[in-house]
């Protein structure tokens, strides 16, 4: 049985508006503690208005539209509006600077960009490029302001009809999103996501955490991430529940927000858990309504125990990545939870552990995690305009090579061992070591470099760069950090720099990063 059938994401919203009407769909709290509420009916009307705005600007089925915005309702209106007209969303990390943003823009060639005033300088530089395909830039979150050569998004969409003016035929295998994720290569890859993928995510994660229309799901995850889209937004809306979206994370405010909104589900990364434990204790901390706390990535047992004991919560572990759409390995409804296991395989997937000879290994043997799904349905459809990279990780039988290592025990519980060799998890963000190394190598005084992640209690991993200078050159550690800050988002900038005479290498000249990691332990 196909639970998605022929539905599209746009059709889902029409259905939700009819079924849930005036029930609260979204509560948004901005950084100034202002709150905004939208019913399912109002959400759908705003989605239709935004869709009509895009149509009036010439956006058609298959066109790309980039969204470079912080967490806000306008991002959700735009996302689902593009779904309704068959256009393709290209979300851009709000931390990205010019180099990172321009790469994605040049790769996807969007017709329109929806952004905020704080990012305008980036786009003013981009549109000077003769190859730039951007026809219009819309500025969101700027009520009643006018901009030379740019369109005020909020003023414009509000003037549109609440009924969709142009119905578009959409197959749920059509692409609805290109989500760029930093992998182990120097340039990010665009993960192609279909309508079916998003709808499946709604069903899957709703099952995983037993969501119902009575739930309140609070999240501070950035809306340009798969975690927000497929672990929070899609399951919450698909269930007719209420989504509480916070613009920014504040360790001082977060637990009060959990309690005041009566959230029944939230999601955390190590940085959130560790910083919450550092906050002064409050008498009311355990007076919450949380049923589950979605948790991703590794966490020291002592911190896990301290968090559970202090706040009286239950952690639901989940393992996945952008390419797998959801956390396909995780704690399952009514199954026992077995720390530090990342859980068992959920429905519609197969997982096995493979050795270097491509053979499945016996229980408790470490190997690479392989995942089987259906491209365009339960896993991604490939990398955008990158057939070679797609073939490297996705075979014709639907097996996806994660590059992550782990093992499975006799009961079918999986354990995560290590990440891809060049991937660093810093403050909840995936960072490509190769990208930083490429930048460092471009410095006229630097001969070569190596970048690794160093375990850190707060940020999961700190970024450390080992740098070898060219003969007779002089460069300080602070100058190297300043150089990185000019070209990289803050979370990619090394926290530590060590200038050394040479780097450990194999006889073939490959960097021995395991030696560097041992050195830092």
């Amino acid at each position: 049985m196909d639970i998605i059938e022929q539905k599209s994401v746009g059709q889902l919203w029409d259905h939700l508006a009819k079924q849930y009407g005036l029930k609260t769909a979204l509560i948004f709290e901005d950084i100034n503690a202002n709150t905004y509420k939208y019913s399912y009916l109002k959400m759908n009307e705003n989605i239709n208005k935004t869709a009509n705005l895009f149509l009036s600007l010439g956006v058609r089925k298959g066109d790309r539209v980039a969204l470079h915005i912080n967490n806000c309702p306008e991002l959700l209106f735009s996302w689902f509006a593009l779904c309704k007209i068959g256009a393709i969303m290209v979300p851009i990390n709000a931390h990205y600077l010019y180099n990172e943003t321009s790469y994605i823009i040049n790769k996807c060639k969007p017709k329109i960009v929806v952004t905020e005033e704080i990012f305008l300088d980036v786009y003013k530089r981009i549109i000077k490029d003769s190859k730039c395909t951007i026809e219009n830039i819309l500025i969101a979150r700027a009520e009643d302001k006018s901009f030379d050569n740019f369109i005020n998004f909020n003023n414009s969409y509000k003037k549109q009809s609440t009924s969709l003016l142009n119905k578009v035929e959409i197959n749920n295998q059509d692409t609805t999103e290109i989500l760029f994720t930093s992998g182990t290569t120097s340039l990010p890859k665009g993960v192609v996501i279909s309508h079916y993928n998003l709808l499946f995510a709604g069903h899957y994660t709703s099952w995983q955490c037993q969501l119902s229309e009575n739930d309140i799901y609070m999240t501070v995850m950035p809306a340009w991430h798969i975690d927000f889209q497929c672990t929070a937004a899609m399951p919450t809306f698909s269930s007719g529940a209420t989504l509480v979206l916070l613009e920014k994370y504040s360790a001082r405010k977060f637990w009060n927000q959990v309690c005041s909104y009566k959230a029944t589900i939230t999601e955390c990364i190590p940085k959130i858990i560790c910083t919450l434990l550092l906050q002064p204790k409050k008498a009311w901390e355990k007076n919450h309504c949380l049923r589950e706390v979605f948790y991703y990535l590794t966490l020291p047992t002592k911190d896990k125990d301290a968090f559970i004991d202090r706040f009286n919560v239950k952690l639901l572990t989940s393992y996945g990545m952008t390419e797998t759409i959801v956390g396909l390995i995780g704690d399952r409804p009514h199954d026992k939870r077995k720390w530090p296991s990342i859980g068992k395989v959920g429905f519609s997937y197969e997982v096995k552990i493979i050795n270097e000879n491509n053979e499945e290994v016996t229980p408790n043997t470490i190997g690479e995690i392989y995942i089987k799904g259906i491209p365009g349905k339960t896993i991604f459809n490939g990398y955008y305009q990158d057939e070679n990279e797609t073939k490297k990780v996705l075979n014709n039988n639907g097996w996806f090579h994660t590059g992550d290592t782990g093992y499975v025990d006799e009961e079918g519980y999986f354990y995560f061992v290590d990440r891809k060799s060049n991937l660093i998890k810093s403050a909840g963000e995936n960072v490509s070591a190769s990208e930083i190394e490429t930048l460092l190598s471009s410095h006229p005084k630097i001969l070569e470099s190596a970048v690794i992640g160093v375990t850190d209690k707060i940020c999961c991993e700190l970024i450390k760069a080992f740098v070898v200078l060219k003969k007779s050159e002089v460069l300080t550690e602070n100058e190297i950090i300043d150089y990185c800050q000019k070209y990289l988002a803050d979370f990619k900038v090394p926290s530590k720099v060590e200038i050394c005479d040479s780097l450990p290498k194999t006889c073939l000249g490959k960097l021995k990063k395991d030696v560097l990691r041992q050195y830092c332990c």
Side-chain angles (χ1 to χ4, degrees):
M1 182 184 75
D2 189 339
I3 57 174
I4 306 302
E5 298 174 335
Q6 299 302 314
K7 293 192 291 289
S8 67
V9 177
Q11 289 172 324
L12 170 67
W13 271 103
D14 291 335
H15 165 75
L16 292 172
K18 290 178 181 178
Q19 182 167 356
Y20 297 106
L22 298 179
K23 184 179 188 297
T24 301
L26 174 68
I27 301 172
F28 172 66
E29 182 178 324
D30 68 18
I31 56 175
N32 297 314
N34 299 309
T35 59
Y36 306 84
K37 292 185 179 183
Y38 302 87
S39 68
Y40 274 93
L41 179 61
K42 191 66 176 178
M43 279 288 292
N44 196 46
E45 288 179 348
N46 285 336
I47 290 166
N48 286 341
K49 287 181 177 183
T50 306
N52 289 333
L53 172 60
F54 288 144
L55 288 169
S56 73
L57 295 172
V59 177
R60 297 295 181 262
K61 183 176 181 180
D63 287 339
R64 275 80 60 205
V65 173
L67 305 183
H68 193 164
I69 328 176
N70 283 296
N71 284 4
C72 62
E74 290 89 337
L75 192 152
L76 298 185
F77 301 159
S78 298
W79 173 21
F80 294 121
L82 295 171
C83 289
K84 282 205 172 190
I85 63 175
I88 299 169
M89 174 177 73
V90 182
I92 296 178
N93 190 318
H95 296 293
Y96 277 3
L97 304 181
Y98 170 76
N99 282 9
E100 302 143 316
T101 303
S102 62
Y103 170 76
I104 293 174
I105 295 297
N106 291 332
K107 180 80 172 178
C108 291
K109 297 178 171 50
K111 195 167 192 174
I112 283 178
V113 172
V114 182
T115 188
E116 296 183 57
E117 192 172 0
I118 56 174
F119 304 126
L120 256 186
D121 286 344
V122 169
Y123 289 96
K124 286 177 180 177
R125 290 182 64 186
I126 289 174
I127 59 178
K128 289 179 181 178
D129 187 337
S130 60
K131 298 179 182 178
C132 180
T133 60
I134 299 172
E135 295 180 5
N136 284 293
I137 294 179
L138 281 64
I139 311 301
R141 312 184 71 187
E143 300 284 350
D144 301 321
K145 289 186 70 174
S146 59
F147 302 92
D148 292 337
N149 303 317
F150 304 115
I151 298 170
N152 185 307
F153 173 87
N154 291 60
N155 291 352
S156 300
Y157 92 80
K158 289 177 181 178
K159 297 175 182 177
Q160 302 292 324
S161 169
T162 58
S163 299
L164 187 63
L165 299 180
N166 186 13
K167 297 291 178 68
V168 180
E169 284 294 321
I170 297 171
N171 186 303
N172 59 28
Q173 286 293 295
D174 290 341
T175 298
T176 190
E177 178 177 1
I178 303 168
L179 182 54
F180 280 81
T181 176
S182 296
T184 57
T185 59
S186 59
L187 294 173
K189 297 184 289 289
V191 175
V192 176
I193 296 173
S194 70
H195 284 257
Y196 195 111
N197 285 145
L198 294 180
L199 293 168
F200 174 79
H203 283 281
Y204 183 93
T205 309
S206 296
W207 162 81
Q208 192 176 28
C209 61
Q210 300 291 277
L211 262 173
S212 77
E213 62 185 73
N214 299 316
D215 276 304
I216 298 173
Y217 194 137
M218 191 187 90
T219 183
V220 72
M221 294 297 174
W224 59 84
H225 274 200
I226 197 76
D227 288 340
F228 168 81
Q229 295 173 19
C230 291
T231 308
M234 287 304 300
T236 300
F237 294 138
S238 297
S239 304
T242 298
L243 181 72
V244 177
L245 175 62
L246 308 178
E247 182 176 357
K248 297 275 185 175
Y249 170 67
S250 165
R252 182 176 58 84
K253 295 180 181 179
F254 186 80
W255 206 253
N256 182 62
Q257 292 165 321
V258 166
C259 297
S260 61
Y261 283 116
K262 294 181 169 47
T264 57
I265 297 176
T266 192
E267 47 188 342
C268 289
I269 57 176
K271 180 180 179 180
I272 293 177
I273 288 178
C274 292
T275 52
L276 286 175
L277 288 172
L278 295 174
Q279 301 306 303
K281 289 188 176 182
K282 305 291 185 182
W284 45 263
E285 287 178 349
K286 294 183 180 181
N287 297 330
H288 57 74
C289 301
L290 284 175
R291 187 177 76 252
E292 299 283 9
V293 176
F294 260 108
Y295 175 72
Y296 320 101
L297 309 174
T298 55
L299 182 72
T301 300
K302 64 181 180 63
D303 291 335
K304 182 266 297 184
D305 292 341
F307 184 65
I308 290 173
D309 180 65
R310 175 172 169 177
F311 294 101
N312 189 30
V313 294
K314 187 166 64 171
L315 294 182
L316 191 157
T317 60
S318 182
Y319 166 88
M321 53 194 65
T322 308
E323 291 89 340
T324 66
I325 310 300
V326 297
L328 73 149
I329 302 174
D331 292 323
R332 303 192 303 193
H334 315 302
D335 268 1
K336 69 177 180 179
R337 301 185 182 186
K338 193 175 179 181
W339 184 271
S341 164
I342 55 174
K344 289 185 172 183
V345 183
F347 69 84
S348 297
Y349 294 96
E350 294 178 51
V351 180
K352 58 185 179 181
I353 307 295
I354 297 295
N355 63 19
E356 293 179 353
N357 298 320
N358 206 35
E359 300 166 334
E360 188 169 4
V361 300
T362 56
N364 302 306
T365 303
I366 294 175
E368 185 180 352
I369 301 172
Y370 274 26
I371 293 165
K372 186 176 184 180
I374 303 173
K377 291 191 174 184
T378 59
I379 60 175
F380 76 131
N381 236 336
Y383 296 119
Y384 182 67
Q385 293 185 350
D386 206 336
E387 187 176 347
N388 289 336
E389 287 299 320
T390 300
K391 287 181 177 178
K392 287 180 184 178
V393 299
L394 186 61
N395 68 26
N396 293 331
N397 295 320
W399 283 100
F400 171 63
H401 303 211
T402 67
D404 289 346
T405 56
Y407 63 93
V408 61
D409 66 18
E410 293 87 352
E411 293 184 287
Y413 285 87
F414 283 82
Y415 298 78
F416 175 81
V417 174
D418 201 1
R419 289 205 164 271
K420 300 173 183 179
S421 60
N422 269 350
L423 192 65
I424 301 168
K425 198 73 178 183
S426 176
E429 298 277 0
N430 287 333
V431 179
S432 167
S434 298
E435 181 182 7
I436 304 171
E437 289 163 356
T438 300
L439 174 66
L440 289 171
S441 298
S442 71
H443 193 290
K445 294 184 179 182
I446 294 176
L447 177 65
E448 58 182 347
S449 66
V451 174
I452 64 170
V454 179
T455 301
D456 177 73
K457 182 176 180 180
I458 301 298
C459 294
C460 194
E461 288 183 296
L462 292 176
I463 300 170
K464 180 169 184 178
F466 294 87
V467 173
V468 178
L469 301 180
K470 293 178 181 178
K471 189 175 180 179
S472 301
E473 294 289 0
V474 177
L475 198 61
T476 67
E477 296 169 10
N478 286 337
E479 286 174 331
I480 293 171
I481 291 174
D482 289 343
Y483 180 74
C484 292
Q485 286 176 331
K486 291 179 181 179
Y487 301 100
L488 297 172
D490 287 344
F491 67 84
K492 297 181 182 180
V493 175
S495 301
K496 300 178 181 180
V497 174
E498 183 169 334
I499 297 173
C500 44
D501 295 328
S502 63
L503 298 173
K505 297 179 181 179
T506 68
C507 59
L508 296 175
K510 292 184 178 180
L511 283 170
K512 297 176 70 174
K513 289 193 174 181
D514 55 333
V515 175
L516 295 176
R517 292 189 182 99
Q518 290 171 11
Y519 169 80
C520 291
C521 291

